[in-house]
Amino acid sequence: MKNHYYNIIKGSDLVYKSYNANPQGLHTGDCVIRAISTALDQSWQETLAGITVFSLMLSDMPESNRVWGNYLKSKGYKRHAIDTDDYTVEQFASDHPEGIYILALSGHVVAVIDGDYIDTWDSGKELPIYYWRKE
């Protein structure tokens, strides 16, 4: 995978990588689009357009779990539960050194790629509710 995402934090062993896929560098409540575009290695615009199609078909908003979940299903992703209440994004990333995941948190979405969590802010202490992985 050619991943165009994230800026490496030099001299750091952290699994957090700072990256904002938004072409204007905005923080506009578009975490679903940012995380999915990062995980799928596609542009923010392509991701928004794809999710918008599902939004129109389902008559629901793009940030709806149902809408972006169906978009991910169409890309071969499957949803998985997280069985513990105190498992952080940072722990999840550390426990998954290979693979591409999209984690749903309460009110936020973050990409995890090969043990790194990629986000516009350090969401490592947040608690994921479930995750998506390509099957």
Side-chain angles (χ1 to χ4, degrees):
M1 184 169 187
K2 64 179 173 154
N3 284 320
H4 63 274
Y5 67 94
Y6 71 83
N7 304 313
I8 306 237
I9 301 172
K10 294 180 180 16
S12 175
D13 291 330
L14 295 174
V15 294
Y16 164 63
K17 306 297 181 195
S18 176
Y19 176 67
N20 186 351
N22 184 297
Q24 298 294 316
L26 302 176
H27 299 265
T28 60
D30 62 343
C31 63
V32 168
I33 307 304
R34 292 192 317 258
I36 293 174
S37 70
T38 300
L40 298 182
D41 198 25
Q42 59 189 30
S43 73
W44 184 94
Q45 295 92 332
E46 180 182 355
T47 303
L48 177 60
I51 289 175
T52 299
V53 169
F54 279 82
S55 179
L56 291 168
M57 288 187 319
L58 298 169
S59 299
D60 202 350
M61 299 306 291
E63 64 274 4
S64 160
N65 292 345
R66 185 170 72 110
V67 169
W68 62 268
N70 276 288
Y71 179 72
L72 287 174
K73 285 179 192 174
S74 78
K75 299 290 186 181
Y77 279 73
K78 184 176 177 186
R79 183 175 159 162
H80 301 271
I82 293 181
D83 297 329
T84 181
D85 292 335
D86 60 351
Y87 194 51
T88 66
V89 168
E90 187 173 46
Q91 289 169 320
F92 182 97
S94 180
D95 289 346
H96 295 84
E98 294 182 7
I100 300 172
Y101 306 86
I102 299 162
L103 278 60
L105 319 177
S106 178
H108 190 57
V109 180
V110 61
V112 173
I113 301 175
D114 295 335
D116 296 325
Y117 59 99
I118 297 99
D119 206 345
T120 57
W121 56 283
D122 188 347
S123 56
K125 302 299 181 210
E126 300 297 317
L127 305 174
I129 302 166
Y130 59 88
Y131 68 93
W132 292 87
R133 180 178 185 178
K134 189 163 186 170
E135 300 297 319

